[in-house]
């Protein structure tokens, strides 16, 4: 049985005993105040004298009330104390387990804010196989979150540290206000200069400020949502294809990015010389160069250099082969 249901039942039984005891003393000739006082002192075993002399029936009734009422009061007290202690211990041990789990994480994503945007981000990140930690100041809202959580204000450095920001790969500021997201970006950048930070913006005027505060990317969900709806109107097949490839997972093909490290065997040779298509089956759609620009539909004679990122499409098996080839 739910522990709080046990508490409600115990309290209801206690109230029933008090009301029943008071009614009994009223029948024995007590007035309402004396009957209530006599009932309370009897079931709590305080031991004060009777407020008025008891008849034989009164003595018998009082003994029965002591046996029934005292047991009910003690049971109620025990149930309430057990529930409180069990709840506190459960919360304490649960939090300790959560802290140990977060302490063992590395390369995870820290998501600040568990609203509609935060939930959507968490679902996408989790589906991609990445670990994540959610921060929110509302403990009740985090109670049903299926990921490791930290209760607190995400603009607080200590809260970010509790989420393992020193070992995280990315920080997502998805709080309700642009001001809060700006503070999170500032805090994240000061704690980890190398951290990749994505911030949510509600207004266009906030985007530049968030970038100056330390965010690497700023996303306006409302603007993107509008553009996506417009794309369905103008190019529905293209928009749906991109949606399915990026989010749905029902197609065999996926879009992914593969970074080229300095130790890769691909560096210094062209796409044709590396036989990427023949060796892995994956198709290179674009290259992100070291300066951040994109080279779309690259010529096979394009040389691959360390620090570049391959934007590729392929099946899961083909992408695994490509990652092995890149090294």
């Amino acid at each position: 049985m739910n522990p709080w249901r046990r508490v409600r039942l115990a309290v209801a039984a206690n109230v029933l005993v008090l009301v029943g005891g008071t009614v009994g003393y009223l029948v024995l000739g007590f007035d309402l105040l004396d009957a209530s006082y006599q009932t309370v002192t009897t079931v709590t075993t305080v031991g004060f004298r009777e407020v008025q002399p008891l008849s034989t029936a009164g003595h018998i009734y009082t003994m029965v009330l002591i046996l029934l009422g005292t047991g009910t009061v003690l049971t109620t007290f025990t149930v309430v104390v057990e529930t409180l202690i069990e709840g506190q211990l459960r919360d304490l041990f649960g939090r300790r387990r959560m802290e140990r789990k977060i302490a063992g994480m590395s390369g995870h994503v820290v998501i600040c804010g568990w609203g509609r945007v935060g939930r959507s981000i968490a679902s996408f990140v989790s589906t991609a196989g990445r670990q994540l930690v959610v921060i929110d100041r509302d403990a009740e809202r985090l109670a049903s979150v299926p990921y490791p959580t930290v209760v607190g204000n995400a603009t607080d450095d200590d809260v970010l540290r509790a989420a393992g920001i020193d070992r995280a790969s990315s920080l997502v500021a998805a709080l309700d206000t642009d001001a809060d997201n700006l503070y999170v970006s500032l805090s994240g950048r000061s704690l980890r200069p190398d951290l990749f930070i994505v911030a949510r913006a509600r207004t266009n005027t906030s985007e530049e400020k968030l970038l100056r505060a330390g965010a690497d990317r700023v996303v306006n969900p409302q603007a993107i949502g509008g553009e996506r709806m417009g794309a369905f109107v103008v190019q529905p097949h293209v928009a749906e294809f991109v949606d399915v490839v990026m989010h749905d997972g029902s197609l065999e093909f996926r879009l992914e990015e593969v970074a080229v490290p300095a130790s890769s065997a691909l560096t210094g040779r062209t796409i044709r010389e590396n036989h990427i298509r023949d060796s892995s089956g994956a198709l290179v759609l674009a290259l992100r160069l070291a300066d951040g620009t994109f080279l779309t539909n690259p010529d096979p004679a394009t040389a691959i250099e360390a620090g570049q990122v391959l934007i590729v499409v392929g099946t899961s098996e083909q992408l695994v082969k490509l990652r092995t080839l890149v090294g």
Side-chain angles (χ1 to χ4, degrees):
M1 182 185 294
N2 185 293
W4 292 109
R5 178 175 170 79
R6 290 174 57 206
V7 171
R8 288 194 294 270
L9 290 175
V11 171
N14 199 53
V15 170
L16 184 62
V17 168
L18 293 175
V19 172
T22 301
V23 171
Y25 283 117
L26 287 173
V27 172
L28 291 171
F30 288 58
D31 60 38
L32 180 60
L33 179 60
D34 286 347
S36 301
Y37 180 80
Q38 184 67 46
T39 300
V40 171
T41 58
T42 299
V43 300
T44 57
T45 66
V46 172
F48 290 158
R49 64 178 179 80
E50 293 83 0
V51 294
Q52 67 182 54
L54 295 173
S55 62
T56 301
H59 283 105
I60 294 173
Y61 178 76
T62 300
M63 287 188 292
V64 173
L65 184 61
I66 290 173
L67 293 175
L68 294 177
T70 303
T72 302
V73 170
L74 290 176
T75 300
T76 301
F77 178 77
T78 302
V79 168
V80 171
V81 171
E82 284 181 351
T83 301
L84 291 175
I85 292 177
E86 287 176 1
Q88 291 176 352
L89 289 176
R90 185 165 52 249
D91 291 344
L92 176 61
F93 288 128
R95 178 50 53 188
R96 291 282 176 83
R97 285 196 299 270
M98 190 79 73
E99 290 173 353
R100 287 197 295 269
K101 184 173 184 179
I102 293 174
M105 295 171 66
S106 180
H108 57 286
V109 180
V110 177
I111 299 175
C112 304
W114 189 246
R116 287 177 297 179
V117 174
R119 286 193 290 270
S120 180
I121 296 168
S123 177
F124 187 86
V125 170
S126 177
T127 301
R130 301 285 298 278
Q131 290 184 311
L132 61 101
V133 176
V134 177
I135 300 175
D136 198 282
R137 68 182 71 191
D138 189 337
E140 291 185 6
R141 195 153 56 168
L142 290 180
S144 59
V145 176
Y147 315 107
T149 61
V150 175
V151 179
N153 190 339
T155 62
D156 188 333
D157 289 358
D158 289 336
V159 173
L160 291 175
R161 290 191 184 97
I165 194 173
D166 56 318
R167 303 178 307 281
S169 63
S170 309
L171 173 68
V172 180
L175 300 174
D176 292 333
T177 68
D178 290 352
D180 283 343
N181 290 325
L182 187 143
Y183 278 118
V184 171
S185 300
L186 277 171
S187 297
R189 183 58 64 213
S190 64
L191 292 172
R192 281 280 306 280
D194 61 328
L195 187 66
F196 186 76
I197 301 175
V198 181
R200 172 191 181 183
R202 284 184 171 272
T203 63
N204 293 332
T205 57
S206 298
E207 295 184 16
E208 183 61 33
K209 296 176 183 177
L210 286 162
L211 289 170
R212 290 202 303 267
D216 294 287
R217 301 287 187 277
V218 177
V219 178
N220 186 325
Q222 286 81 8
I224 289 179
E227 291 170 359
R228 187 173 172 187
M229 293 173 71
F232 274 109
V233 173
V234 178
Q235 295 179 309
H237 303 296
V238 173
E240 187 168 358
F241 176 77
V242 173
D243 268 0
V244 170
V245 172
M246 286 297 298
H247 308 291
D248 190 286
S250 59
L251 280 184
E252 188 179 6
F253 286 90
R254 298 206 315 266
L255 276 169
E256 282 202 16
E257 58 181 62
V258 180
V260 181
S263 59
S264 175
L266 272 59
T267 58
R269 298 194 297 171
T270 65
I271 296 176
R272 180 185 293 111
E273 290 171 340
N274 282 307
H275 302 289
I276 293 178
R277 177 70 171 168
D278 295 334
S279 301
S280 67
L283 177 64
V284 179
L285 299 180
L287 284 177
R288 183 151 206 185
L289 307 181
D291 61 3
T293 59
F294 285 99
L295 178 61
T296 58
N297 192 22
D299 189 280
T302 303
I304 295 177
E305 303 296 341
Q308 294 178 342
V309 178
L310 306 179
I311 310 299
V312 297
V313 63
T315 65
S316 297
E317 182 180 351
Q318 290 171 343
L319 294 174
V320 169
K321 288 182 179 178
L322 176 59
R323 292 186 183 278
T324 302
L325 183 65
V326 171

